Coordinates of all heavy atoms in Angstrom, one line a residue:
T69 N -7.4 -9.7 8.5 CA -8.1 -11.1 8.5 C -9.5 -10.8 7.7 O -10.1 -9.7 8.0 CB -8.4 -11.6 9.9 OG1 -7.2 -12.0 10.5 CG2 -9.3 -12.9 9.8
F70 N -9.9 -11.7 6.9 CA -11.2 -11.6 6.3 C -12.1 -12.5 7.1 O -12.0 -13.8 7.0 CB -11.0 -12.1 4.8 CG -12.3 -12.1 4.0 CD1 -13.0 -10.8 3.8 CD2 -13.0 -13.2 3.6 CE1 -14.2 -10.8 3.2 CE2 -14.2 -13.2 2.8 CZ -14.8 -11.9 2.6
H71 N -13.1 -12.1 7.8 CA -14.0 -12.8 8.7 C -15.2 -13.2 8.0 O -15.9 -12.5 7.3 CB -14.3 -11.9 9.9 CG -13.2 -11.4 10.7 ND1 -12.5 -10.3 10.4 CD2 -12.6 -11.9 11.8 CE1 -11.6 -10.0 11.3 NE2 -11.6 -11.1 12.1
I72 N -15.5 -14.6 8.1 CA -16.8 -15.2 7.5 C -17.4 -15.8 8.7 O -17.0 -16.7 9.4 CB -16.5 -16.2 6.5 CG1 -15.6 -15.5 5.4 CG2 -17.8 -16.8 6.0 CD1 -15.1 -16.6 4.3
F73 N -18.6 -15.2 9.1 CA -19.3 -15.5 10.3 C -20.0 -16.9 10.2 O -20.5 -17.3 9.1 CB -20.3 -14.5 10.7 CG -19.8 -13.1 10.9 CD1 -19.7 -12.2 9.9 CD2 -19.1 -12.8 12.0 CE1 -19.2 -10.9 10.1 CE2 -18.6 -11.6 12.3 CZ -18.6 -10.6 11.3
D74 N -20.1 -17.6 11.4 CA -21.1 -18.7 11.5 C -22.3 -18.1 12.2 O -22.3 -18.0 13.5 CB -20.4 -19.8 12.3 CG -21.2 -21.0 12.3 OD1 -22.5 -21.0 12.4 OD2 -20.7 -22.1 12.3
Q75 N -23.4 -17.8 11.6 CA -24.5 -17.1 12.0 C -25.2 -18.0 13.1 O -25.7 -17.5 14.1 CB -25.5 -16.7 11.0 CG -26.6 -15.8 11.5 CD -27.4 -15.2 10.3 OE1 -27.2 -15.7 9.2 NE2 -28.3 -14.4 10.6
D76 N -25.2 -19.2 13.0 CA -26.1 -20.1 13.8 C -25.4 -20.3 15.2 O -26.2 -20.4 16.2 CB -26.2 -21.5 13.2 CG -27.0 -21.5 11.9 OD1 -27.8 -20.6 11.8 OD2 -26.7 -22.4 11.1
K77 N -24.1 -20.1 15.3 CA -23.3 -20.4 16.5 C -23.0 -19.0 17.2 O -22.6 -19.1 18.3 CB -22.1 -21.2 16.3 CG -22.3 -22.6 15.9 CD -21.0 -23.4 15.6 CE -21.3 -24.7 15.1 NZ -20.1 -25.5 14.9
S78 N -23.1 -17.9 16.5 CA -22.7 -16.6 17.1 C -23.7 -16.1 18.1 O -25.0 -16.4 17.9 CB -22.5 -15.6 16.0 OG -21.4 -16.0 15.1
T79 N -23.3 -15.4 19.1 CA -24.1 -14.7 20.0 C -23.7 -13.3 20.1 O -22.8 -12.9 19.6 CB -24.0 -15.4 21.5 OG1 -22.8 -15.1 21.9 CG2 -24.3 -16.9 21.4
S80 N -24.6 -12.5 20.8 CA -24.3 -11.1 21.0 C -23.0 -10.9 21.9 O -22.5 -9.8 21.9 CB -25.5 -10.4 21.7 OG -25.8 -11.0 22.9
Y81 N -22.6 -11.9 22.6 CA -21.4 -11.8 23.4 C -20.1 -12.3 22.8 O -19.0 -11.9 22.9 CB -21.6 -12.5 24.7 CG -22.7 -12.1 25.5 CD1 -23.9 -12.7 25.6 CD2 -22.6 -10.9 26.3 CE1 -25.0 -12.2 26.3 CE2 -23.7 -10.4 27.0 CZ -24.8 -11.1 27.1 OH -25.9 -10.5 27.8
R82 N -20.4 -13.2 21.8 CA -19.2 -14.0 21.2 C -19.5 -14.4 19.8 O -20.3 -15.2 19.5 CB -18.9 -15.2 22.0 CG -17.6 -15.9 21.5 CD -17.3 -17.1 22.4 NE -16.3 -17.9 21.9 CZ -16.4 -19.1 21.1 NH1 -17.7 -19.4 20.8 NH2 -15.4 -19.7 20.5
P83 N -18.9 -13.6 18.8 CA -19.0 -14.0 17.3 C -18.3 -15.3 17.1 O -17.1 -15.5 17.6 CB -18.5 -12.8 16.7 CG -17.4 -12.3 17.5 CD -18.1 -12.4 18.9
V84 N -18.8 -16.1 16.3 CA -18.2 -17.4 15.9 C -17.9 -17.3 14.4 O -18.9 -16.9 13.6 CB -18.9 -18.6 16.3 CG1 -18.3 -19.9 15.8 CG2 -19.2 -18.7 17.8
F85 N -16.8 -17.8 13.9 CA -16.4 -17.6 12.5 C -16.3 -19.0 11.9 O -15.7 -19.9 12.5 CB -15.1 -16.9 12.4 CG -15.1 -15.6 13.1 CD1 -14.3 -15.4 14.3 CD2 -15.8 -14.5 12.6 CE1 -14.3 -14.2 14.9 CE2 -15.8 -13.3 13.3 CZ -15.0 -13.2 14.5
R86 N -16.7 -19.1 10.6 CA -16.6 -20.4 9.9 C -15.1 -20.4 9.3 O -14.5 -21.5 9.3 CB -17.6 -20.4 8.7 CG -19.0 -20.6 9.2 CD -20.0 -20.5 8.0 NE -19.8 -21.7 7.2 CZ -20.5 -21.9 6.1 NH1 -21.6 -21.0 5.7 NH2 -20.3 -22.9 5.3
Y87 N -14.6 -19.2 8.8 CA -13.3 -19.1 8.2 C -12.7 -17.7 8.5 O -13.4 -16.7 8.7 CB -13.4 -19.3 6.6 CG -14.2 -20.4 6.2 CD1 -15.5 -20.3 5.7 CD2 -13.7 -21.7 6.2 CE1 -16.2 -21.3 5.2 CE2 -14.4 -22.8 5.7 CZ -15.7 -22.6 5.2 OH -16.5 -23.6 4.8
T88 N -11.4 -17.7 8.7 CA -10.7 -16.5 8.8 C -9.4 -16.5 8.2 O -8.3 -16.5 8.8 CB -10.4 -16.3 10.4 OG1 -9.8 -17.4 11.0 CG2 -11.7 -16.1 11.3
P89 N -9.4 -16.4 6.9 CA -8.1 -16.4 6.2 C -7.5 -14.9 6.3 O -8.1 -13.9 6.6 CB -8.6 -16.5 4.7 CG -9.9 -16.0 4.6 CD -10.5 -16.4 6.0
S90 N -6.2 -14.9 6.3 CA -5.4 -13.7 6.6 C -4.3 -13.4 5.5 O -3.9 -14.4 4.9 CB -4.7 -13.7 7.9 OG -5.6 -13.9 9.0
Q91 N -4.1 -12.1 5.2 CA -3.0 -11.8 4.3 C -2.3 -10.6 5.0 O -2.9 -9.9 5.9 CB -3.6 -11.3 3.0 CG -4.1 -12.4 2.1 CD -3.0 -13.1 1.4 OE1 -1.9 -12.9 1.7 NE2 -3.4 -14.0 0.5
S92 N -1.1 -10.3 4.7 CA -0.5 -9.0 5.0 C -1.4 -7.9 4.5 O -2.0 -8.0 3.5 CB 0.9 -8.9 4.4 OG 0.9 -8.8 2.9
L93 N -1.4 -6.8 5.2 CA -2.3 -5.8 5.0 C -2.2 -5.1 3.6 O -3.1 -4.8 2.9 CB -2.3 -4.7 6.1 CG -3.3 -3.5 6.0 CD1 -4.7 -4.1 5.8 CD2 -3.2 -2.7 7.2
S94 N -0.9 -5.0 3.2 CA -0.6 -4.4 1.9 C -1.2 -5.3 0.8 O -1.5 -4.7 -0.3 CB 0.9 -4.2 1.7 OG 1.6 -5.5 1.8
I95 N -1.3 -6.6 0.9 CA -1.8 -7.5 -0.1 C -3.4 -7.5 0.1 O -4.2 -7.5 -0.9 CB -1.3 -8.9 0.0 CG1 0.3 -8.9 -0.3 CG2 -1.9 -9.9 -0.8 CD1 0.9 -10.2 -0.1
A96 N -3.8 -7.5 1.4 CA -5.3 -7.6 1.7 C -5.9 -6.4 1.1 O -7.1 -6.4 0.8 CB -5.4 -7.7 3.2

Side-chain angles (χ1 to χ4, degrees):
T69 299
F70 182 63
H71 300 87
I72 301 172
F73 299 101
D74 190 326
Q75 188 172 8
D76 296 332
K77 297 181 181 179
S78 296
T79 67
S80 58
Y81 300 99
R82 180 175 175 269
V84 177
F85 307 106
R86 294 177 62 181
Y87 311 100
T88 53
S90 298
Q91 288 278 12
S92 66
L93 184 51
S94 58
I95 296 176

